[in-house]
């Protein structure tokens, strides 16, 4: 079993998603609804509530599965879609000069200004792309490998 | 082996769900709104009012200023329907002067002038955010409202005042407060005006006593 930079990158990316998702899920739902409202991107309150309910679970699952190396390719596609969405959402908030002092990405843990978050998301997108292109090397020490070897 | 992979996936999803719900239960168990020892002087309205609102706000937060106006309008129209209790939640990470302002407000409460001071803090929110002389500005508001300056100074310098403010914030955090303004309307949490509006509209539309 060779641990390489791609494996460490997968763990790092997974950890970011786990922390982000878990933090939002542990807090009352109303807090993340408020964050989504601040971005003024969804037309109806019910959509904001549904997003607040669903999205953190997606983050947690992607993160957890990336750490364990389960459904790695699928999770990297999901992570890619997520970070693309983040870049668009935060980018439009900056362009529209919305009155947001921090992104709300990690709840109370870390408060990051929007430009910093945008840069971070672009870097995460890049990491995701690199890991996806090198999926074989990314999948070392993973449940995917375990199940495929047994097969 | 594919079957084993799917079963593993399902088990992991159940583990994640259990972990999150377990953590929430552990963190928020028995957490209802309990009376605050520093509520005196920061409460207004009718003690028998049907709507008890506890608000966690930060005097430097723009949304809180709008929330104060919004709730103020309702309070003005239906003063006997509300008991409003203010609790501090200074967001010191993003508002460097928030704690100091909260301390001054807490000291105004001790001289029974909390609400007039509260109103002025929101009216002058933008100016207070930009000033280099925050103490000077806060003292000036106190002078205008005829607070006793010696008592104010002693109160502001007393570490117990800041401790009381931070303790109030810690209680809020324990209830899950993260952003401001956060309201608890008869123990039901609402964040921001958008969260508060449906609760108030539902109450008044239903024509409740």
């Amino acid at each position: 079993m060779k641990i390489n930079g791609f494996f460490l990158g997968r763990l790092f990316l997974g950890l970011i998603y786990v922390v982000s998702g878990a933090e939002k899920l542990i807090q009352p739902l109303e807090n993340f609804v408020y964050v989504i409202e601040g971005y003024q991107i969804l037309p109806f309150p019910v959509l904001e509530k549904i997003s607040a309910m669903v999205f953190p679970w997606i983050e947690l699952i992607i993160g957890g599965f990336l750490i364990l190396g389960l459904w790695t390719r699928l999770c990297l596609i999901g992570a890619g879609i997520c970070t693309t969405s983040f870049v668009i959402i935060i980018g439009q908030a900056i362009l529209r000069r919305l009155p947001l002092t921090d992104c709300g990405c990690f709840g109370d843990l870390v408060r990051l200004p929007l430009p910093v978050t945008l840069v971070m998301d672009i870097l995460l997108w890049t990491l995701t792309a690199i890991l996806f292109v090198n999926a074989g090397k990314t999948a070392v020490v993973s449940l995917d490998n375990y199940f495929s070897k047994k097969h | 082996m594919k079957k084993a992979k799917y079963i593993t996936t399902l088990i992991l999803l159940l583990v994640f769900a259990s972990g999150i719900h377990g953590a929430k239960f552990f963190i928020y168990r028995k957490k209802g709104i309990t009376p605050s020892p520093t509520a005196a002087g920061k409460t207004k309205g009718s003690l028998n009012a049907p709507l008890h609102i506890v608000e966690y706000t930060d005097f430097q937060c723009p949304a809180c200023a709008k929330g104060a106006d919004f709730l103020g309008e309702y309070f003005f129209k239906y003063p006997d329907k509300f008991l409003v209790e203010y609790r501090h939640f200074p967001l010191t990470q993003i508002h460097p002067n928030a704690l100091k302002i909260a301390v001054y407000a807490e000291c105004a409460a001790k001289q029974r002038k909390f609400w007039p001071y509260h109103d002025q803090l929101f009216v002058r929110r933008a100016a207070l955010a930009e000033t280099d002389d925050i103490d000077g500005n806060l003292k000036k508001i106190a002078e205008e409202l005829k607070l006793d300056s010696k008592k104010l100074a002693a109160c502001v310098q007393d570490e117990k005042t800041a401790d009381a403010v931070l303790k109030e914030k810690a209680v809020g955090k324990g209830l899950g407060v993260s952003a401001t303004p956060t309201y608890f309307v008869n123990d039901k949490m609402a964040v921001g005006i958008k969260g508060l509006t449906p609760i108030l509209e539902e109450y008044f539309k239903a024509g409740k006593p």
Side-chain angles (χ1 to χ4, degrees):
Chain A
M1 280 194 296
K2 270 187 188 169
I3 290 176
N4 55 42
F6 298 103
F7 165 72
L8 293 173
R10 190 190 92 211
L11 284 188
F12 173 73
L13 189 65
L15 193 63
I16 297 273
Y17 273 88
V18 162
V19 168
S20 181
E23 216 284 338
K24 293 183 188 85
L25 286 167
I26 284 170
Q27 294 225 7
L29 174 71
E30 290 81 1
N31 285 338
F32 193 45
V33 172
Y34 185 66
V35 168
I36 293 174
E37 282 169 3
Y39 285 98
Q40 299 178 29
I41 206 160
L42 294 172
F44 305 110
V46 67
L47 288 178
E48 287 166 346
K49 195 167 183 183
I50 291 170
S51 301
M53 288 167 76
V54 169
F55 187 74
W57 284 110
I58 293 173
E59 282 188 304
L60 181 71
I61 290 165
I62 285 175
F65 281 15
L66 278 175
I67 289 172
L68 295 168
L70 189 61
W71 305 107
T72 307
R73 273 184 183 265
L74 195 61
C75 288
L76 286 171
I77 291 170
I81 294 171
C82 286
T83 38
T84 305
S85 312
F86 299 154
V87 168
I88 292 169
I89 290 166
I90 291 167
Q92 64 88 34
I94 293 171
L95 285 172
R96 291 165 67 192
R97 297 185 190 187
L98 296 180
L100 297 166
T101 47
D102 72 281
C103 78
C105 311
F106 297 99
D108 226 13
L109 279 177
V110 176
R111 291 186 187 264
L112 298 172
L114 295 191
V116 170
T117 311
L118 185 63
V119 170
M120 182 189 81
D121 284 328
I122 291 169
L123 291 174
L124 285 176
W125 187 93
T126 309
L127 174 63
T128 306
I130 292 170
L131 293 175
F132 184 78
V133 165
N134 294 277
K137 293 173 193 169
T138 302
V140 295
V141 192
S142 68
L143 286 175
D144 283 338
N145 250 11
Y146 169 79
F147 285 117
S148 65
K149 274 175 186 168
K150 285 279 182 182
H151 187 254
Chain B
M1 217 52 206
K2 252 192 171 170
K3 195 178 173 185
K5 192 173 179 180
Y6 287 124
I7 291 170
T8 306
T9 302
L10 194 60
I11 291 169
L12 283 170
L13 289 173
L14 289 171
V15 166
F16 291 162
S18 307
I20 290 296
H21 288 296
K24 281 185 91 157
F25 174 78
F26 180 75
I27 291 167
Y28 297 116
R29 69 188 192 284
K30 83 123 186 123
K31 296 266 169 97
I33 299 282
T34 49
S36 166
T38 46
K42 303 204 308 265
T43 306
K44 64 177 179 181
S46 169
L47 286 173
N48 298 318
L51 291 171
H52 179 198
I53 299 182
V54 174
E55 55 171 339
Y56 281 91
T57 61
D58 170 340
F59 284 112
Q60 285 284 275
C61 143
C64 300
K66 289 181 186 166
D69 285 341
F70 176 79
L71 195 53
E73 279 172 20
Y74 266 93
F75 188 83
F76 182 75
K77 264 193 219 170
Y78 312 102
D80 56 336
K81 303 287 187 206
F82 291 93
L83 179 67
V84 178
E85 182 191 333
Y86 180 97
R87 292 191 187 177
H88 298 292
F89 201 90
L91 296 171
T92 47
Q93 274 178 295
I94 52 175
H95 300 141
N97 289 333
L99 177 58
K100 178 158 278 188
I101 293 171
V103 164
Y104 270 82
E106 188 65 22
C107 294
K110 290 185 178 165
Q111 296 192 41
R112 297 172 183 272
K113 296 254 174 107
F114 174 78
W115 289 106
Y117 202 84
H118 157 285
D119 294 345
Q120 284 304 310
L121 288 175
F122 278 126
V123 162
R124 304 180 202 206
R125 185 198 56 78
L128 289 172
E130 285 157 19
T131 183
D132 290 330
D133 181 20
I134 186 68
D135 282 283
N137 278 267
L138 293 171
K139 282 175 190 165
K140 190 176 170 213
I141 298 173
E143 268 169 38
E144 290 168 11
L145 293 173
K146 298 190 179 8
L147 269 74
D148 182 316
S149 55
K150 279 186 187 165
K151 281 184 186 171
L152 180 73
C155 173
V156 166
Q157 278 153 31
D158 188 350
E159 280 174 7
K160 287 182 191 166
T161 312
D163 286 346
V165 168
L166 292 171
K167 203 169 181 180
E168 208 160 81
K169 181 180 177 181
V171 169
K173 272 190 162 180
L175 293 169
V177 177
S178 168
T180 56
T182 294
Y183 306 93
F184 290 89
V185 184
N186 295 348
D187 280 7
K188 186 180 160 75
M189 189 182 189
V191 185
I193 295 177
K194 242 179 156 179
L196 181 63
T197 304
I199 298 174
L200 296 182
E201 281 181 352
E202 193 196 323
Y203 177 85
F204 287 101
K205 253 189 200 159
K208 288 183 185 169

